[in-house]
Amino acid sequence: MTNITVKESLALNEKYYTFKHSSGLTVYVFPKEMSSSYALFATRYGAIDNKFKLEGDEEFTCVPDGIAHFLEHKMFECENGVDAFELFSRTGASANAYTSNTRTAYLFSATENFYESLEYLLDFVTHPYFTEQTVQKEQGIIGQELKMYDDHPMARLEKGLLQALYKKNKIRIDVGGTIESIAQINADLLYKCYNTFYSLHNMVLAVCGGVDVEKIEQICDKLLKDSEEKKIIRDYECDDEPYEAYKTRSECSLSVSKPLFAIGVKINAIPSEPNKRLKQFYTMSILNEMLYSRSSEMFNELYDKNLITHSISASVEQYNSYFFNEIYSESSDPEAVYDYFVSHINDKKKNGLSLEAFELAKRTLYADNIMMYDSVDDIADALVTNYLEGTELFENSNIIASITFEDVEEMLHSAYDERCYAMSVVNPIEKEEK
């Protein structure tokens, strides 16, 4: 019997179980009586992990951009010729997968036959099967997907912003790679990446819903083999990343009715301690709510001047090797919006923020964190995110509660440096023709 630990929050009236399986897999089980149950099986392996070695290896392995995403696609093909999606259709489960900059995840939700679906999930992700013939076939499929994203306005907007903010950091790599890079992928490289990053010691399983922790443990015992842990050494090659933004502008033209813009702020001070990074993340999130929400001064002035037609969206992206903030919307005059943004931030740095706005923003973020516990997929995703970041789920609300007005003011002054601003714009094609 595995040593199962109970994590409980009296303030939230929630609890979950966690254990380290003998295979090396970290497992989280969050019992929650909802209409469906959800499972997320993830590995700490994403687009930025393209240079690596195992402890004891003399040389690093460098692999083509986009290989993590390519591997995710290939995992759904089983050796017996059955597609993994077909397996889930037998149980009525809805399955999917995704690759980000820092993780690859496989997931499903189900209203019935949950344990049978979980067996399918653990089985197909732990049994890779690649051949040169199927790899070549997939190169064509993913090549078409990449061309589709080249025509996707929001994808191009994000790509343009990251490649403007960063010169060397691997966050600027497109998750899917390029037509040229995926052409270099072969079965041997896929097995190399799989055997390195799909070690169960590098993976996590989060389950949420009407589930029993001992039943989950039994399924792990049935399907997962014990393995030796080998430390993965990753080289992100970003030690000499410039302080300032690489470029101030990135522009392209697509079939959009009005220009889309994204303004990014590159932030260089990243704490090494996980809880300090988490506090930094939530502090910036509160500041975003204060500066850019529909009740903010910036939104209302831009809207009154007809410079934006709908709300401003803001998001924070953070990992141990990068940290940036971005806001995006659409505007007939992105340059006027940018000029206002610079002026507005300078004014706030000079004249100060509103304490009332801070208190409202902090309550909003705290409430959002509490509402997360009404969603099985949000809970599972948060468990995985906290695991990958080295933090604990129930500490999130405590960290938000600990943030002070002075913390937010300090963040405004330290993070917003005009040398670290960049803007990405997607213009209507007509503008380019004129």
Side-chain angles (χ1 to χ4, degrees):
M1 177 71 70
T2 302
N3 186 20
I4 298 174
T5 301
V6 182
K7 299 284 188 178
E8 188 167 8
S9 170
L10 297 177
L12 298 171
N13 192 28
E14 302 282 3
K15 71 177 180 179
Y16 67 90
Y17 303 88
T18 181
F19 62 87
K20 185 81 167 181
H21 189 255
S22 59
S23 63
L25 180 68
T26 297
V27 181
Y28 294 99
V29 181
F30 200 118
K32 190 84 173 177
E33 290 301 329
M34 304 284 280
S35 59
S36 64
S37 296
Y38 187 88
L40 185 61
F41 192 19
T43 175
R44 192 195 305 270
Y45 174 48
I48 65 175
D49 297 302
N50 63 2
K51 186 176 181 180
F52 57 87
K53 67 178 180 178
L54 291 175
E55 190 173 37
D57 292 347
E58 291 187 5
E59 297 182 355
F60 281 94
T61 296
C62 297
V63 293
D65 293 346
I67 195 168
H69 172 255
F70 198 103
L71 179 54
E72 172 227 308
H73 274 236
K74 293 303 300 169
M75 287 306 302
F76 282 88
E77 290 186 17
C78 305
E79 188 171 0
N80 60 8
V82 177
D83 187 281
F85 284 114
E86 182 181 332
L87 298 175
F88 288 107
S89 69
R90 297 173 186 176
T91 61
S94 175
N96 210 337
Y98 65 85
T99 305
S100 71
N101 295 297
T102 58
R103 77 176 73 165
T104 307
Y106 302 85
L107 56 98
F108 74 86
S109 62
T111 56
E112 57 184 0
N113 304 316
F114 179 83
Y115 296 119
E116 185 178 355
S117 298
L118 182 61
E119 290 193 16
Y120 288 150
L121 177 68
L122 297 183
D123 185 56
F124 91 82
V125 176
T126 55
H127 289 86
Y129 176 69
F130 319 124
T131 67
E132 292 302 338
Q133 183 179 6
T134 58
V135 169
Q136 290 174 13
K137 178 182 176 183
E138 196 68 38
Q139 285 168 337
I141 294 171
I142 293 182
Q144 291 300 314
E145 182 180 324
L146 294 177
K147 291 177 181 177
M148 178 184 72
Y149 279 110
D150 276 344
D151 292 328
H152 191 286
M154 291 304 296
R156 290 289 297 276
L157 190 70
E158 180 77 4
K159 180 179 179 180
L161 182 65
L162 293 178
Q163 294 187 348
L165 286 174
Y166 292 96
K167 181 179 182 180
K168 294 187 176 182
N169 195 298
K170 293 184 179 181
I171 187 65
R172 73 194 312 275
I173 295 173
D174 193 294
V175 170
T178 64
I179 299 292
E180 294 74 23
S181 69
I182 66 169
Q184 302 169 38
I185 296 173
N186 56 46
D188 288 341
L189 283 176
L190 289 174
Y191 277 115
K192 177 77 172 181
C193 292
Y194 181 89
N195 291 330
T196 300
F197 294 106
Y198 282 67
S199 161
L200 291 171
H201 295 274
N202 191 52
M203 301 185 75
V204 59
L205 171 67
V207 175
C208 184
V211 294
D212 177 76
V213 62
E214 292 185 358
K215 180 65 175 176
I216 301 299
E217 182 189 21
Q218 291 168 10
I219 292 173
C220 290
D221 289 341
K222 175 182 176 181
L223 293 171
L224 305 179
K225 298 178 181 179
D226 293 357
S227 60
E228 179 184 355
E229 182 176 10
K230 294 184 179 180
K231 183 180 178 182
I232 303 169
I233 302 170
R234 311 165 197 243
D235 187 352
Y236 294 130
E237 300 179 313
C238 59
D239 291 341
D240 55 350
E241 172 67 39
Y243 173 86
E244 66 278 359
Y246 176 44
K247 297 186 295 184
T248 59
R249 294 291 184 277
S250 172
E251 291 193 60
C252 68
S253 296
L254 293 174
S255 296
V256 293
S257 59
K258 184 174 288 189
L260 304 176
F261 72 87
I263 299 172
V265 181
K266 177 182 181 180
I267 304 161
N268 292 279
I270 306 172
S272 58
E273 203 277 312
N275 274 0
K276 289 182 179 179
R277 283 202 303 272
L278 191 59
K279 182 174 181 179
Q280 187 184 53
F281 174 87
Y282 283 131
T283 302
M284 180 59 81
S285 298
I286 290 173
L287 184 56
N288 277 349
E289 181 72 18
M290 295 169 67
L291 292 174
Y292 312 121
S293 69
R294 293 185 71 91
S295 62
S296 69
E297 180 183 336
M298 180 170 173
F299 168 77
N300 284 285
E301 288 201 17
L302 290 175
Y303 188 82
D304 289 344
K305 294 177 180 178
N306 292 319
L307 284 173
I308 57 173
T309 54
H310 55 76
S311 61
I312 302 170
S313 298
S315 65
V316 190
E317 293 290 336
Q318 184 194 54
Y319 194 57
N320 56 26
S321 60
Y322 61 81
F323 181 27
F324 65 92
N325 193 51
E326 65 177 314
I327 65 168
Y328 48 96
S329 188
E330 66 175 30
S331 172
S332 56
D333 191 349
E335 287 297 335
V337 173
Y338 181 84
D339 290 342
Y340 177 87
F341 163 80
V342 173
S343 174
H344 185 67
I345 295 297
N346 288 339
D347 176 70
K348 292 301 178 185
K349 291 171 76 171
K350 179 181 178 181
N351 297 314
L353 297 165
S354 162
L355 178 60
E356 181 182 0
F358 162 74
E359 292 171 344
L360 176 60
K362 182 176 175 179
R363 286 197 299 270
T364 299
L365 186 63
Y366 192 89
D368 288 343
N369 183 71
I370 301 302
M371 288 174 62
M372 177 200 73
Y373 291 99
D374 290 332
S375 166
V376 291
D377 48 337
D378 285 348
I379 292 171
D381 184 72
L383 284 165
V384 168
T385 298
N386 279 95
Y387 167 78
L388 294 177
E389 292 290 342
T391 54
E392 199 279 313
L393 177 64
F394 290 148
E395 278 301 303
N396 293 2
S397 55
N398 294 333
I399 289 174
I400 294 170
S402 74
I403 295 171
T404 65
F405 182 61
E406 290 72 25
D407 290 330
V408 175
E409 284 195 312
E410 194 280 329
M411 177 65 74
L412 174 68
H413 286 273
S414 64
Y416 280 87
D417 183 334
E418 196 169 342
R419 293 172 295 172
C420 299
Y421 300 168
M423 184 167 71
S424 174
V425 179
V426 176
N427 289 307
I429 292 174
E430 294 76 10
K431 180 175 181 180
E432 185 178 74
E433 292 174 346
K434 289 178 182 179

